[in-house]
Amino acid sequence: MHETRDERAVTRRDALRAGGAAALVGVTGCTALPSAPVQAGGSGDDEPVAVASFFSFYDFGRQIADGTPLNVKNLVPTGLHGHGWEPNARITQRIIEADAFVHVGKDFQPWADRAIQTIESDDIDTALINVREGIGLLDLAATLDPDEEGVGSQRGKDPHFWLDPRRAKQSVDNIADGFAAIVPDHEDAIRENAAAYKTDVLDRIDADYEAIFDRSGRDIVQLAAHNAFQYIGARYGVRMRPLVTNLAASGDVKPADITDATRVIRENDIRYIANGVFESQRPAQQLVRETDVEAYFPVTPYAGVREEWVEENWGYEEIADNINMPTLEIVLGNETPTDAAPTTDWLDQWRNFEPI
């Protein structure tokens, strides 16, 4: 008697659950690096689980699934950037055991691509939810390193679409479609949550960003960060100049990069710059020492979280409000650092901040 697709999938999933991570080493090709810790408050065995490969879409997912039995979990460990992380085989096991895998699309996270290949080649029934489906991507900057041109859904495209709140709304719909198929009895709640998140959060962030950029007399922001912020610049009509031209947060800063940034700072009378939270602070510190820049402040492409953000239950919305927006007010010259700081402790923590 031949097995059905569902019987094959269940048999393999049960075997993997019983056999542990060792059974996956030859399948996934993942490196033996520390995996994400299991989050507190897990679901019971009968509750459906969706795991996400990237913090932003974990956060979207948990908002969309609120009030339903679906449990959404983030695979990337606290303190790490979601793009450059390479997990061990236990993460692939968690993906295979889950009911759904929320991912950012092909060629952005190699480990996620390998897990998807395993799921598809072995006919595993984990649903694959591509948050990038149907979203138009911007062309990569002309200055991008040639070896980075293949990153994205197609050659020459920038994958960081979620920084544009309007494009992010399509990813919310993509997640809602996937979740509705997993827990169809709760489709109405999922659709309502998705609609509310798009209106109450993403539309509001879009309006706030637009107001910040409209108030500014500047048309350029110097970033001591990698090339992840083009979508903000394109949406709101400002040049977001990365110090590191490639797409990886771990990219090397070359002497020519510092020289070019120094020129931009001088020609535009820049006093404040933005630096990536999960990136090296050394280039920003060098610019403070060697130019008229007085300080650097934090920005993040929503690719990871710090421990205190987890403790305060921050998501995409809270990071926009408490990290990116105050810094943009400062670097655009709309407000002084003191006036832009959302709390009394913010300035002490984030002015020329130290590494994590």
Side-chain angles (χ1 to χ4, degrees), residues 94-161:
R94 290 181 63 188
I95 294 169
I96 290 171
E97 291 178 347
D99 295 271
F101 180 38
V102 181
H103 63 93
V104 193
K106 186 179 179 182
D107 295 331
F108 185 68
Q109 296 171 299
W111 64 270
D113 290 347
R114 291 193 294 268
I116 291 168
Q117 183 178 13
T118 297
I119 288 167
E120 292 178 338
S121 63
D122 290 351
D123 208 19
I124 296 166
D125 66 343
T126 300
L128 299 174
I129 301 174
N130 181 356
V131 301
R132 202 167 63 194
E133 188 72 33
I135 296 176
L137 302 181
L138 295 174
D139 292 337
L140 290 172
T143 56
L144 197 70
D145 291 345
D147 61 354
E148 289 283 337
E149 289 183 355
V151 179
S153 66
Q154 51 189 298
R155 183 168 294 276
K157 297 295 182 179
D158 187 335
H160 297 91
F161 70 88

Side-chain angles (χ1 to χ4, degrees), residues 13 39 41-52 57-74 95 97-102 126-127 129 172 174-187 189-191 193:
R13 183 176 293 180
Q39 297 182 354
S43 63
D45 289 342
D46 294 332
E47 292 183 351
V49 173
V51 294
F57 305 110
Y58 152 72
D59 184 50
F60 290 178
R62 66 174 177 163
Q63 309 290 343
I64 294 166
D66 186 44
T68 78
L70 183 60
N71 192 303
V72 184
K73 298 183 179 182
N74 181 22
I95 294 169
E97 291 178 347
D99 295 271
F101 180 38
V102 181
T126 300
I129 301 174
V172 169
N174 291 338
I175 295 170
D177 289 344
F179 285 2
I182 297 168
V183 285
D185 291 346
H186 299 272
E187 180 173 1
I190 286 169
R191 301 294 184 189
N193 288 343

